[in-house]
Amino acid sequence: MDTTILIIEDEKDLREILEYNFRKDGYRVQSAANGADGFHLLGQPSLPSLVILDLMLPDMSGLEICRRVRQERRTASIPVLMLTARSEEIDRVMGFEVGADDYVTKPFSVRELLLRVKALIKRAGAPAVPSEEVRFGVLRIDFPAHRVWVNDEETVLTALEFNLLRTLFVRKGRVQTREMLLNDVWDISADVTTRTVDTHVKRLREKIGEAEKYVETVRGVGYRFAGMPNEDTK
Ligand code: CA
């Protein structure tokens, strides 16, 4: 396995336990004891596959680091798993403008952390655009033909709506910020704002009827296509 994990954690003992266990599981490990060292490692040509990030660091908050990782186009899609000591921080960590992919609350079992990391990496490595027709619950999408059916009834999407659906779909289970969607779906030169994203998501939802339940709003962050068609959705 050639998967690199970056651990940003100031507690030396915990950092060493994590380093040891991830190495034992076959990962390559980089570690940093503060945000500045973490950013230095994130500035290197080869990026880690995932970042484990402590919320409380001596030089800056994990929230701020996560926000910056998400804002930088180069690092925006790296999964971030946050280590938090206080459960009341979880809403902020997962929502609003921070956008971590997952979290564990201290104290945690290393075994559980390993499982979460494995799941996140698997999700992040999801395939690119499928070259054929796929089914997802009530939704059927023919990617090469740009055609979409809901409960076997075709719905006609504009090119932009189809791009939006495709972009959300290929990153199933992962939050897409409005900025990421703007970058990836819209022409960068287009005169659009993040509000445009909301408008088009609304229109897409109307057109895909029952399948709109798969397009989840992540409050204050953006949107996420459900990881599985049978997941409970809001
Ligand atoms: Ca800490």
Side-chain angles (χ1 to χ4, degrees):
M1 201 194 299
D2 201 13
T3 307
T4 302
I5 309 285
L6 170 59
I7 299 167
I8 307 179
E9 165 63 74
D10 59 320
E11 287 166 55
K12 187 164 177 279
D13 291 350
L14 177 56
R15 200 170 62 235
E16 286 176 358
I17 289 169
L18 295 180
E19 284 172 11
Y20 171 80
N21 280 280
F22 277 98
R23 288 208 173 102
K24 206 175 76 176
D25 245 35
Y27 293 93
R28 290 158 69 117
V29 178
Q30 298 178 320
S31 62
N34 55 57
D37 290 353
F39 275 117
H40 175 74
L41 289 168
L42 284 167
Q44 302 299 306
S46 96
L47 288 168
S49 300
L50 180 138
V51 180
I52 295 175
L53 178 59
D54 184 33
L55 187 66
M56 306 281 282
L57 292 161
D59 57 341
M60 59 184 101
S61 150
L63 297 177
E64 181 55 30
I65 295 175
C66 190
R67 201 176 291 134
R68 278 169 60 181
V69 164
R70 285 286 168 267
Q71 275 166 1
E72 277 290 321
R73 202 166 181 201
R74 199 170 160 265
T75 55
S77 62
I78 301 175
V80 176
L81 187 149
M82 199 81 99
L83 306 179
T84 75
R86 291 182 301 160
S87 48
E88 56 268 36
E89 289 282 12
I90 290 164
D91 280 352
R92 276 191 81 199
V93 165
M94 296 299 289
F96 297 93
E97 74 278 29
V98 178
D101 295 273
D102 203 357
Y103 66 90
V104 296
T105 313
K106 292 177 178 181
F108 53 85
S109 91
V110 173
R111 190 72 238 149
E112 159 150 32
L113 182 65
L114 284 164
L115 289 174
R116 298 278 193 98
V117 163
K118 207 167 282 179
L120 277 181
I121 287 175
K122 196 173 160 203
R123 224 156 78 181
V129 179
S131 59
E132 50 197 46
E133 197 174 289
V134 295
R135 273 185 179 280
F136 186 91
V138 297
L139 192 62
R140 178 155 57 97
I141 309 174
D142 184 337
F143 286 98
H146 282 216
R147 294 176 73 186
V148 177
W149 295 261
V150 180
N151 284 321
D152 289 324
E153 198 166 308
E154 184 164 13
T155 177
V156 179
L157 302 183
T158 64
L160 196 130
E161 288 157 359
F162 187 85
N163 280 345
L164 179 59
L165 177 64
R166 178 176 57 198
T167 303
L168 288 165
F169 182 86
V170 299
R171 298 168 192 166
K172 283 194 292 292
R174 305 194 58 207
V175 179
Q176 304 300 307
T177 66
R178 291 175 174 82
E179 288 73 21
M180 287 159 87
L181 290 170
L182 270 182
N183 271 327
D184 296 343
V185 178
W186 277 262
D187 182 344
I188 203 78
S189 64
D191 183 20
V192 289
T193 64
T194 50
R195 189 168 283 277
T196 308
V197 177
D198 297 332
T199 308
H200 283 84
V201 167
K202 184 165 177 277
R203 219 171 286 161
L204 173 65
R205 279 175 166 152
E206 283 162 9
K207 285 200 181 175
I208 60 176
E210 193 190 334
E212 64 132 16
K213 64 188 176 188
Y214 307 137
V215 181
E216 303 164 356
T217 300
V218 182
R219 194 161 57 94
V221 182
Y223 299 95
R224 174 177 54 212
F225 204 89
M228 299 283 287
N230 56 355
E231 265 175 15
D232 282 337
T233 50
K234 282 166 219 137

Short mmCIF file of all heavy atoms in Angstrom, two decimals, residues 185-216:
data_model
loop_
_atom_site.label_atom_id
_atom_site.label_comp_id
_atom_site.label_asym_id
_atom_site.label_seq_id
_atom_site.Cartn_x
_atom_site.Cartn_y
_atom_site.Cartn_z
N VAL A 185 -18.09 23.12 -12.12
CA VAL A 185 -19.26 23.00 -12.99
C VAL A 185 -19.38 24.20 -13.92
O VAL A 185 -19.74 24.07 -15.08
CB VAL A 185 -20.55 22.86 -12.16
CG1 VAL A 185 -21.78 22.79 -13.06
CG2 VAL A 185 -20.47 21.62 -11.27
N TRP A 186 -19.02 25.36 -13.39
CA TRP A 186 -19.19 26.57 -14.18
C TRP A 186 -17.88 26.98 -14.83
O TRP A 186 -16.80 26.71 -14.29
CB TRP A 186 -19.68 27.72 -13.31
CG TRP A 186 -21.16 27.70 -13.11
CD1 TRP A 186 -22.07 28.44 -13.80
CD2 TRP A 186 -21.90 26.92 -12.16
NE1 TRP A 186 -23.34 28.15 -13.34
CE2 TRP A 186 -23.26 27.23 -12.34
CE3 TRP A 186 -21.55 25.97 -11.20
CZ2 TRP A 186 -24.27 26.64 -11.60
CZ3 TRP A 186 -22.55 25.38 -10.45
CH2 TRP A 186 -23.89 25.70 -10.65
N ASP A 187 -17.97 27.61 -15.94
CA ASP A 187 -16.81 28.21 -16.57
C ASP A 187 -16.27 29.26 -15.59
O ASP A 187 -17.01 30.08 -15.08
CB ASP A 187 -17.24 28.87 -17.88
CG ASP A 187 -16.05 29.48 -18.62
OD1 ASP A 187 -14.98 29.66 -17.99
OD2 ASP A 187 -16.20 29.76 -19.81
N ILE A 188 -14.97 29.19 -15.33
CA ILE A 188 -14.39 30.05 -14.32
C ILE A 188 -14.60 31.54 -14.64
O ILE A 188 -14.70 32.37 -13.75
CB ILE A 188 -12.88 29.72 -14.14
CG1 ILE A 188 -12.38 30.16 -12.78
CG2 ILE A 188 -12.02 30.28 -15.24
CD1 ILE A 188 -12.76 29.24 -11.66
N SER A 189 -14.73 31.84 -15.91
CA SER A 189 -14.89 33.24 -16.29
C SER A 189 -16.35 33.69 -16.21
O SER A 189 -16.65 34.87 -16.33
CB SER A 189 -14.37 33.46 -17.72
OG SER A 189 -15.15 32.72 -18.63
N ALA A 190 -17.24 32.72 -16.03
CA ALA A 190 -18.66 33.09 -16.00
C ALA A 190 -18.94 34.03 -14.82
O ALA A 190 -18.30 33.95 -13.79
CB ALA A 190 -19.51 31.84 -15.90
N ASP A 191 -19.90 34.87 -15.02
CA ASP A 191 -20.25 35.85 -13.99
C ASP A 191 -21.24 35.21 -13.03
O ASP A 191 -22.44 35.40 -13.13
CB ASP A 191 -20.83 37.10 -14.65
CG ASP A 191 -21.15 38.16 -13.62
OD1 ASP A 191 -20.57 38.10 -12.51
OD2 ASP A 191 -21.97 39.04 -13.92
N VAL A 192 -20.72 34.41 -12.13
CA VAL A 192 -21.61 33.70 -11.22
C VAL A 192 -21.14 33.87 -9.78
O VAL A 192 -19.98 34.12 -9.52
CB VAL A 192 -21.70 32.19 -11.55
CG1 VAL A 192 -22.48 31.95 -12.82
CG2 VAL A 192 -20.32 31.57 -11.63
N THR A 193 -22.08 33.70 -8.89
CA THR A 193 -21.76 33.77 -7.46
C THR A 193 -22.20 32.45 -6.83
O THR A 193 -22.86 31.64 -7.48
CB THR A 193 -22.53 34.92 -6.78
OG1 THR A 193 -23.93 34.62 -6.88
CG2 THR A 193 -22.25 36.24 -7.44
N THR A 194 -21.85 32.29 -5.56
CA THR A 194 -22.23 31.04 -4.90
C THR A 194 -23.75 30.88 -4.86
O THR A 194 -24.26 29.78 -4.82
CB THR A 194 -21.66 30.98 -3.47
OG1 THR A 194 -21.97 32.18 -2.80
CG2 THR A 194 -20.16 30.78 -3.50
N ARG A 195 -24.46 32.00 -4.91
CA ARG A 195 -25.93 31.93 -4.92
C ARG A 195 -26.43 31.23 -6.19
O ARG A 195 -27.46 30.56 -6.18
CB ARG A 195 -26.50 33.35 -4.83
CG ARG A 195 -27.98 33.40 -4.62
CD ARG A 195 -28.42 34.81 -4.25
NE ARG A 195 -28.13 35.13 -2.86
CZ ARG A 195 -28.91 34.78 -1.83
NH1 ARG A 195 -30.03 34.12 -2.05
NH2 ARG A 195 -28.58 35.10 -0.61
N THR A 196 -25.67 31.39 -7.27
CA THR A 196 -26.00 30.71 -8.52
C THR A 196 -26.04 29.20 -8.32
O THR A 196 -26.88 28.50 -8.87
CB THR A 196 -24.94 31.05 -9.59
OG1 THR A 196 -24.80 32.46 -9.65
CG2 THR A 196 -25.33 30.52 -10.95
N VAL A 197 -25.10 28.72 -7.51
CA VAL A 197 -25.05 27.28 -7.24
C VAL A 197 -26.36 26.85 -6.60
O VAL A 197 -26.99 25.87 -7.03
CB VAL A 197 -23.86 26.93 -6.31
CG1 VAL A 197 -23.87 25.45 -5.97
CG2 VAL A 197 -22.53 27.32 -6.96
N ASP A 198 -26.81 27.61 -5.61
CA ASP A 198 -28.05 27.25 -4.92
C ASP A 198 -29.24 27.25 -5.89
O ASP A 198 -30.09 26.37 -5.85
CB ASP A 198 -28.34 28.25 -3.79
CG ASP A 198 -27.25 28.20 -2.71
OD1 ASP A 198 -26.63 27.14 -2.55
OD2 ASP A 198 -27.02 29.22 -2.05
N THR A 199 -29.28 28.25 -6.75
CA THR A 199 -30.38 28.35 -7.70
C THR A 199 -30.42 27.12 -8.61
O THR A 199 -31.48 26.55 -8.86
CB THR A 199 -30.20 29.62 -8.58
OG1 THR A 199 -30.02 30.72 -7.71
CG2 THR A 199 -31.39 29.85 -9.47
N HIS A 200 -29.24 26.72 -9.09
CA HIS A 200 -29.23 25.59 -10.01
C HIS A 200 -29.45 24.26 -9.30
O HIS A 200 -30.05 23.35 -9.88
CB HIS A 200 -27.93 25.58 -10.81
CG HIS A 200 -27.94 26.60 -11.90
ND1 HIS A 200 -27.60 27.91 -11.69
CD2 HIS A 200 -28.32 26.50 -13.20
CE1 HIS A 200 -27.74 28.58 -12.83
NE2 HIS A 200 -28.17 27.75 -13.75
N VAL A 201 -29.00 24.15 -8.07
CA VAL A 201 -29.28 22.93 -7.31
C VAL A 201 -30.78 22.82 -7.10
O VAL A 201 -31.38 21.74 -7.25
CB VAL A 201 -28.52 22.91 -5.96
CG1 VAL A 201 -29.05 21.80 -5.05
CG2 VAL A 201 -27.02 22.70 -6.18
N LYS A 202 -31.42 23.94 -6.82
CA LYS A 202 -32.87 23.96 -6.62
C LYS A 202 -33.59 23.48 -7.89
O LYS A 202 -34.47 22.63 -7.84
CB LYS A 202 -33.30 25.38 -6.26
CG LYS A 202 -34.76 25.54 -5.93
CD LYS A 202 -35.01 26.88 -5.23
CE LYS A 202 -36.49 27.11 -4.95
NZ LYS A 202 -37.21 27.64 -6.13
N ARG A 203 -33.14 23.99 -9.02
CA ARG A 203 -33.76 23.62 -10.28
C ARG A 203 -33.52 22.14 -10.60
O ARG A 203 -34.41 21.43 -11.06
CB ARG A 203 -33.20 24.51 -11.40
CG ARG A 203 -34.27 24.91 -12.38
CD ARG A 203 -33.76 25.96 -13.35
NE ARG A 203 -33.62 27.27 -12.75
CZ ARG A 203 -32.88 28.26 -13.26
NH1 ARG A 203 -32.19 28.05 -14.38
NH2 ARG A 203 -32.82 29.43 -12.69
N LEU A 204 -32.28 21.70 -10.32
CA LEU A 204 -31.97 20.29 -10.55
C LEU A 204 -32.86 19.40 -9.69
O LEU A 204 -33.43 18.42 -10.17
CB LEU A 204 -30.49 20.03 -10.22
CG LEU A 204 -30.03 18.56 -10.25
CD1 LEU A 204 -30.14 17.99 -11.67
CD2 LEU A 204 -28.60 18.42 -9.74
N ARG A 205 -33.02 19.78 -8.43
CA ARG A 205 -33.87 19.00 -7.53
C ARG A 205 -35.29 18.91 -8.04
O ARG A 205 -35.93 17.86 -7.98
CB ARG A 205 -33.89 19.62 -6.14
CG ARG A 205 -32.67 19.26 -5.31
CD ARG A 205 -32.72 20.02 -4.02
NE ARG A 205 -31.78 19.50 -3.04
CZ ARG A 205 -31.24 20.24 -2.09
NH1 ARG A 205 -31.53 21.52 -2.00
NH2 ARG A 205 -30.40 19.71 -1.24
N GLU A 206 -35.81 20.03 -8.55
CA GLU A 206 -37.18 20.02 -9.06
C GLU A 206 -37.29 19.05 -10.23
O GLU A 206 -38.27 18.31 -10.35
CB GLU A 206 -37.58 21.43 -9.51
CG GLU A 206 -37.92 22.35 -8.34
CD GLU A 206 -37.91 23.83 -8.71
OE1 GLU A 206 -37.81 24.15 -9.92
OE2 GLU A 206 -37.98 24.66 -7.78
N LYS A 207 -36.26 19.02 -11.06
CA LYS A 207 -36.35 18.19 -12.26
C LYS A 207 -36.19 16.71 -11.98
O LYS A 207 -36.68 15.88 -12.74
CB LYS A 207 -35.29 18.64 -13.27
CG LYS A 207 -35.66 19.93 -13.96
CD LYS A 207 -34.88 20.07 -15.24
CE LYS A 207 -35.20 21.37 -15.95
NZ LYS A 207 -34.34 21.54 -17.13
N ILE A 208 -35.47 16.36 -10.93
CA ILE A 208 -35.25 14.93 -10.69
C ILE A 208 -36.24 14.35 -9.67
O ILE A 208 -36.10 13.20 -9.25
CB ILE A 208 -33.79 14.61 -10.28
CG1 ILE A 208 -33.39 15.33 -9.00
CG2 ILE A 208 -32.84 14.95 -11.44
CD1 ILE A 208 -31.99 14.98 -8.52
N GLY A 209 -37.25 15.14 -9.33
CA GLY A 209 -38.37 14.63 -8.53
C GLY A 209 -37.94 13.85 -7.30
O GLY A 209 -37.22 14.36 -6.45
N GLU A 210 -38.36 12.59 -7.25
CA GLU A 210 -38.12 11.77 -6.07
C GLU A 210 -36.61 11.63 -5.78
O GLU A 210 -36.20 11.49 -4.63
CB GLU A 210 -38.75 10.39 -6.27
CG GLU A 210 -38.81 9.59 -4.99
CD GLU A 210 -39.22 8.13 -5.23
OE1 GLU A 210 -39.90 7.85 -6.24
OE2 GLU A 210 -38.84 7.29 -4.39
N ALA A 211 -35.80 11.65 -6.82
CA ALA A 211 -34.35 11.47 -6.63
C ALA A 211 -33.70 12.67 -5.95
O ALA A 211 -32.52 12.62 -5.59
CB ALA A 211 -33.68 11.19 -7.98
N GLU A 212 -34.45 13.75 -5.76
CA GLU A 212 -33.88 14.92 -5.09
C GLU A 212 -33.45 14.59 -3.66
O GLU A 212 -32.61 15.28 -3.10
CB GLU A 212 -34.87 16.09 -5.07
CG GLU A 212 -36.11 15.81 -4.27
CD GLU A 212 -36.46 16.95 -3.31
OE1 GLU A 212 -35.94 18.05 -3.49
OE2 GLU A 212 -37.25 16.69 -2.39
N LYS A 213 -34.01 13.50 -3.11
CA LYS A 213 -33.63 13.13 -1.74
C LYS A 213 -32.14 12.75 -1.66
O LYS A 213 -31.56 12.76 -0.58
CB LYS A 213 -34.50 11.98 -1.23
CG LYS A 213 -34.32 10.68 -2.01
CD LYS A 213 -35.34 9.64 -1.57
CE LYS A 213 -35.21 8.39 -2.44
NZ LYS A 213 -36.28 7.42 -2.21
N TYR A 214 -31.53 12.41 -2.78
CA TYR A 214 -30.11 12.06 -2.76
C TYR A 214 -29.21 13.29 -2.69
O TYR A 214 -28.03 13.19 -2.39
CB TYR A 214 -29.71 11.25 -4.00
CG TYR A 214 -30.57 10.02 -4.24
CD1 TYR A 214 -31.01 9.71 -5.52
CD2 TYR A 214 -30.93 9.19 -3.18
CE1 TYR A 214 -31.80 8.59 -5.74
CE2 TYR A 214 -31.73 8.08 -3.40
CZ TYR A 214 -32.16 7.78 -4.68
OH TYR A 214 -32.94 6.69 -4.90
N VAL A 215 -29.76 14.44 -3.07
CA VAL A 215 -28.95 15.66 -3.05
C VAL A 215 -29.17 16.35 -1.71
O VAL A 215 -30.18 16.99 -1.48
CB VAL A 215 -29.33 16.60 -4.22
CG1 VAL A 215 -28.46 17.87 -4.18
CG2 VAL A 215 -29.17 15.89 -5.56
N GLU A 216 -28.21 16.17 -0.82
CA GLU A 216 -28.37 16.68 0.55
C GLU A 216 -27.73 18.05 0.68
O GLU A 216 -26.68 18.30 0.10
CB GLU A 216 -27.70 15.71 1.54
CG GLU A 216 -28.23 14.30 1.45
CD GLU A 216 -27.30 13.29 2.14
OE1 GLU A 216 -26.22 13.67 2.62
OE2 GLU A 216 -27.69 12.11 2.17
#
